[in-house]
Amino acid sequence: MNAVEILKLIGRPNAYYPKLAKPLGGVSPAVLFSQLFYWQDKATSDLGVYKTRDELEDETGLSHNEQRTAIKKLKEKGVLIVTEKRLEHKTFYKIDNEKVNQVLSDFANSITQSSRQMKSSYPDLYNVDVETTTKSSSLYQENTTKTTTENTTNIIANKSQQPKRPCQFPDEFKPNDHHRDIAMNENINLDNEFVKFRDYCLANGKKYIDWNAAFNNWLRNANGYKKSNKPPEKFMTLAERNRAVLESMRS
């Protein structure tokens, strides 16, 4: 026998109102109430429907202890009237429809009130005044622009405060107009001096912070370099000097 055949032997399923679990105090009270409510219009007594605990267990699956707890909660809510006929050993269950209406109405009102309180605590963001939103956006943009400007200024200031380091001869370094003016004033060839300056710096691994100023100094001292490059006069002894004087007198 498979599971499906077993389910068929067990019997039909009984439905209940899941939404009644909260207002009635739990799932068990909701299951028992739903089953008793189903039998109300089939009752033959004014006291309600007669059911034994075993019958209710077969119909709902609730044990005797679970039934006691559920019955107690339903009686506290006032929705179930239980009449015990001890001489007849019978228990009758009757639903108080007016009380059910009141319980369900109170529950619905509590949900509505709770929803309103939640809505008031968390106002709808989509209903915010447009002007306020615009002002907030403008203020945000202004603060962002101000902050960005200040940060950029600080970065530039920090870079300018950092000391420059000497570097080797730059590949892009070329003579400028100021260099040409110096060359004209010193009466020297700018192109020749630039080649000399470049070769000298590269050969000796020279490093300068300001290459324009370094080339300025080179140009201003170019004539002095030429004089210093002339071969020194030959040293003459006293006898050689006297002989030269006599030769000059003879001539």
Side-chain angles (χ1 to χ4, degrees), residues 37-97:
F37 183 79
Y38 168 78
W39 286 106
Q40 286 303 296
D41 56 352
K42 301 171 181 60
T44 58
S45 172
D46 294 337
L47 299 177
V49 62
Y50 161 68
K51 287 287 182 180
T52 64
R53 295 291 177 88
D54 291 336
E55 289 175 340
L56 289 176
E57 184 174 359
D58 291 338
E59 295 175 1
T60 62
L62 299 175
S63 66
H64 289 194
N65 289 333
E66 290 173 334
Q67 291 178 41
R68 291 190 188 94
T69 302
I71 291 172
K72 180 180 179 181
K73 291 184 177 181
L74 294 175
K75 290 174 64 176
E76 291 175 352
K77 295 289 184 180
V79 298
L80 181 63
I81 301 173
V82 180
T83 304
E84 295 183 356
K85 292 290 185 177
R86 295 185 178 180
L87 295 178
E88 300 177 8
H89 301 286
K90 290 183 178 181
T91 302
F92 293 86
Y93 303 94
K94 184 177 182 179
I95 302 295
D96 188 338
N97 293 329

Side-chain angles (χ1 to χ4, degrees), residues 3-242:
V4 175
E5 293 175 347
I6 294 175
L7 289 176
K8 290 180 180 179
L9 292 176
I10 290 176
R12 65 180 180 83
N14 289 334
Y16 78 102
Y17 299 100
K19 296 297 184 181
L20 292 178
K22 287 187 177 180
L24 296 183
V27 174
S28 295
V31 172
L32 183 62
F33 174 87
S34 300
Q35 186 65 17
L36 294 175
F37 183 79
Y38 168 78
W39 286 106
Q40 286 303 296
D41 56 352
K42 301 171 181 60
T44 58
S45 172
D46 294 337
L47 299 177
V49 62
Y50 161 68
K51 287 287 182 180
T52 64
R53 295 291 177 88
D54 291 336
E55 289 175 340
L56 289 176
E57 184 174 359
D58 291 338
E59 295 175 1
T60 62
L62 299 175
S63 66
H64 289 194
N65 289 333
E66 290 173 334
Q67 291 178 41
R68 291 190 188 94
T69 302
I71 291 172
K72 180 180 179 181
K73 291 184 177 181
L74 294 175
K75 290 174 64 176
E76 291 175 352
K77 295 289 184 180
V79 298
L80 181 63
I81 301 173
V82 180
T83 304
E84 295 183 356
K85 292 290 185 177
R86 295 185 178 180
L87 295 178
E88 300 177 8
H89 301 286
K90 290 183 178 181
T91 302
F92 293 86
Y93 303 94
K94 184 177 182 179
I95 302 295
D96 188 338
N97 293 329
E98 293 184 1
K99 192 64 177 178
V100 171
N101 290 334
Q102 181 181 347
V103 170
L104 296 180
S105 178
D106 293 343
F107 180 71
N109 291 335
S110 65
I111 293 178
T112 303
Q113 184 177 1
S114 176
S115 177
R116 290 176 179 175
Q117 291 177 353
M118 184 177 296
K119 187 175 181 180
S120 62
S121 300
Y122 301 94
D124 190 359
L125 296 178
Y126 296 102
N127 293 330
V128 178
D129 183 68
V130 176
E131 182 178 358
T132 303
T133 304
T134 304
K135 290 182 179 179
S136 300
S137 177
S138 300
L139 181 59
Y140 172 78
Q141 293 178 356
E142 180 180 354
N143 291 335
T144 303
T145 303
K146 182 178 179 181
T147 303
T148 303
T149 304
E150 292 177 352
N151 292 338
T152 304
T153 303
N154 293 334
I155 292 173
I156 296 175
N158 292 333
K159 287 185 177 180
S160 62
Q161 293 175 359
Q162 294 178 355
K164 294 182 179 180
R165 296 181 179 180
C167 63
Q168 293 182 345
F169 190 89
D171 294 337
E172 66 278 5
F173 181 73
K174 300 294 180 182
N176 54 33
D177 293 338
H178 184 61
H179 297 146
R180 293 186 179 87
D181 293 339
I182 297 177
M184 291 180 62
N185 293 334
E186 298 293 332
N187 194 23
I188 56 179
N189 188 302
L190 177 62
D191 294 334
N192 290 340
E193 294 300 326
F194 176 74
V195 173
K196 294 178 183 178
F197 174 72
R198 180 189 61 192
D199 293 344
Y200 170 79
C201 292
L202 292 175
N204 294 276
K206 294 294 183 179
K207 293 183 179 181
Y208 295 105
I209 295 177
D210 190 341
W211 281 93
N212 286 320
F215 190 41
N216 290 341
N217 292 332
W218 176 277
L219 294 175
R220 293 189 182 98
N221 296 321
N223 289 323
Y225 296 149
K226 290 181 180 179
K227 294 178 182 180
S228 62
N229 291 333
K230 289 183 178 181
E233 296 181 356
K234 185 178 180 181
F235 178 77
M236 299 175 65
T237 63
L238 180 59
E240 291 175 341
R241 185 177 299 175
N242 291 335

